[in-house]
């Protein structure tokens, strides 16, 4: 930071307004990465596939359980309808009808339990196909195909395309002179150009930052054409 009679100078960096580290909620081998750094992606686009053989095997087991439970439920329903008719004819007792009714209820419950298990498996399967949370650009890929992915471990990074800002830190002695809406001159040395920026956000605290307050500057859309994140 340098100060002058005309103001003060800060070092900053161009960043995307929204950045996401993409990871999975389940452990498995990465079977396919569909993108590479620099690729533009749309919201919902498939990015990575994780091995799901174990879950698919469990899904087949639960599907068999559902088929069996549904068949048993249909039989229990037929028995219940038959016993209701017999009871109306006084051919069976109330206790016999009640037993058949309880059996019918139990079979229906087993069907619902099996279907709920299938819902849980389908939810797990959704984690094996990782999609873009928003439209943007792939900026980094941390793991290769064949690598083991673990929950919370970043696989790749996406930055929101076109939405750029400048981030800098201001020492506490300059804070009284800065407010939202103030205009700053942004010098991009790598491009040899200067653009205008406006203070869009000012941190209210310097806790854990050693007396440095974070400040963000918005820039006009017309100035973003040649600017890249990280400058």
């Amino acid at each position: 930071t340098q100060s002058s009679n005309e103001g003060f100078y800060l070092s900053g960096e161009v960043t995307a307004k929204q950045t996401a580290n993409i990871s999975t909620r389940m452990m498995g081998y990465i079977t396919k990465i569909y993108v590479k750094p620099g690729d533009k992606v749309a919201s919902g686009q498939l990015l990575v596939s994780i091995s799901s053989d174990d879950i698919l095997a469990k899904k087949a087991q639960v599907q068999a359980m559902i088929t069996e439970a549904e068949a048993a439920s249909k039989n229990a329903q037929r028995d219940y309808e038959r016993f209701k008719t017999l009871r109306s004819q006084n051919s069976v007792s109330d206790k016999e009808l009640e037993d058949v009714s309880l059996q019918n209820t139990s079979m229906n419950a087993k069907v619902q339990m099996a279907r709920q298990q299938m819902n849980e498996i389908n939810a797990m399967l959704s984690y094996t196909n990782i999609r873009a949370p928003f439209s943007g650009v792939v900026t980094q890929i941390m793991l290769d195909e064949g690598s083991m992915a673990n929950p919370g471990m970043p696989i790749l990074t996406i930055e929101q395309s076109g939405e750029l800002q400048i981030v800098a830190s201001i020492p506490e002695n300059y804070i009284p002179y800065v407010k939202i809406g103030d205009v700053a001159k942004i010098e991009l040395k790598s491009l040899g150009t200067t653009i205008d920026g406006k203070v869009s956000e000012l941190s209210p605290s310097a806790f854990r930052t050693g007396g440095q307050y974070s400040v963000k500057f918005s820039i006009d859309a017309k100035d973003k054409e040649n600017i890249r994140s990280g400058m």
Side-chain angles (χ1 to χ4, degrees):
T1 304
Q2 294 179 322
S3 62
S4 74
N5 293 333
E6 298 177 354
F8 53 91
Y9 298 86
L10 305 172
S11 292
E13 184 180 9
V14 180
T15 68
K17 284 189 176 181
Q18 188 172 8
T19 301
N21 288 321
I22 308 299
S23 61
T24 179
R25 291 190 180 185
M26 59 170 290
M27 185 168 61
Y29 288 101
I30 298 174
T31 55
K32 184 69 175 177
I33 298 177
Y34 298 93
V35 293
K36 61 184 183 298
D39 283 356
K40 293 182 178 180
V41 297
S43 177
Q45 181 176 330
L46 183 61
L47 304 175
V48 181
S49 291
I50 308 293
S51 174
S52 56
D53 291 346
D54 293 345
I55 301 177
L56 289 174
K58 188 172 182 181
K59 181 175 182 177
Q61 293 176 349
V62 173
Q63 185 58 61
M65 290 173 54
I66 291 175
T67 301
E68 182 179 356
E70 286 178 341
S73 178
K74 287 180 180 178
N75 288 333
Q77 181 65 32
R78 283 195 295 265
D79 287 343
Y80 177 61
E81 296 297 334
R82 182 166 57 88
F83 268 68
K84 280 202 302 183
T85 301
L86 291 173
R87 183 67 193 94
S88 66
Q89 300 169 352
N90 289 321
S91 297
V92 297
S93 65
D94 287 339
K95 180 64 169 64
E96 288 173 310
L97 178 60
E98 182 181 353
D99 290 343
V100 173
S101 176
L102 290 173
Q103 178 69 9
N104 183 44
T105 301
S106 176
M107 290 300 102
N108 286 334
K110 287 184 177 180
V111 170
Q112 295 305 316
M113 288 174 61
R115 288 176 177 169
Q116 181 58 38
Q117 282 184 290
M118 182 61 75
N119 290 338
E120 293 173 0
I121 288 174
N122 286 334
M124 292 178 66
L125 280 173
S126 70
Y127 301 144
T128 66
N129 290 315
I130 303 172
R131 301 183 181 276
F134 52 78
S135 296
V137 177
V138 177
T139 57
Q140 189 176 8
I141 294 180
M142 294 82 158
L143 297 177
D144 298 320
E145 292 179 1
S147 300
M148 176 66 73
N150 289 290
M153 177 187 293
I155 300 173
L156 55 85
T157 301
I158 292 180
E159 291 186 356
Q160 190 176 24
S161 55
E163 294 298 319
L164 299 174
Q165 61 186 357
I166 312 293
V167 176
S169 294
I170 295 182
E172 59 186 48
N173 53 308
Y174 290 130
I175 283 294
Y177 310 110
V178 179
K179 63 182 183 299
I180 301 297
D182 283 351
V183 176
K185 292 292 183 182
I186 311 295
E187 181 184 1
L188 295 154
K189 293 184 178 180
S190 60
L191 299 179
T193 186
T194 300
I195 61 175
D196 287 336
K198 285 186 178 181
V199 177
S200 59
E201 185 178 316
L202 182 62
S203 173
S205 172
F207 184 61
R208 298 185 186 279
T209 58
Q212 297 285 323
Y213 291 79
S214 175
V215 61
K216 295 180 181 179
F217 301 88
S218 62
I219 51 181
D220 291 336
K222 63 181 176 61
D223 294 322
K224 296 177 182 178
E225 184 175 352
N226 297 317
I227 299 176
R228 298 289 181 269
S229 180
M231 288 181 172

